[in-house]
Amino acid sequence: MPNLNIVICPGCGSEISVVNHGCPKCGYENNEDGRLLTLAEMLERPSYPDPGAMRLNDVCPAFIKAVVAATQAD
Ligand SMILES: [Zn+2]
């Protein structure tokens, strides 16, 4: 089963602690929640233009690669 209860930084693609105050490697922050969310939490969030949409600024290809890898992990 894929483990989506991990935090991948959208800014640099690094896996970081679930308990975080932003990415310690590149400084990426989520000012609305105060921490970077797990992949599972992100998937629950609405997208623009829905109300309460989560915004992800400057998402890098490494993040997308890491997400795909996470979904394919056993
Ligand atoms: Zn980062």
Side-chain angles (χ1 to χ4, degrees):
M1 284 289 289
N3 175 17
L4 300 182
N5 294 314
I6 58 174
V7 176
I8 306 288
C9 171
C12 69
S14 298
E15 182 173 348
I16 66 169
S17 174
V18 173
V19 179
N20 68 73
H21 299 284
C23 179
K25 298 189 176 166
C26 74
Y28 191 100
E29 291 182 327
N30 174 354
N31 292 319
E32 291 178 21
D33 297 289
R35 64 181 176 87
L36 302 192
L37 304 180
T38 66
L39 298 181
E41 288 171 325
M42 283 186 184
L43 292 172
E44 298 292 319
R45 293 297 176 99
S47 293
Y48 181 83
D50 295 341
M54 180 181 192
R55 289 174 186 266
L56 293 169
N57 298 319
D58 300 323
V59 173
C60 70
F63 171 73
I64 296 170
K65 279 183 202 168
V67 171
V68 171
T71 62
Q72 293 175 341
D74 286 324

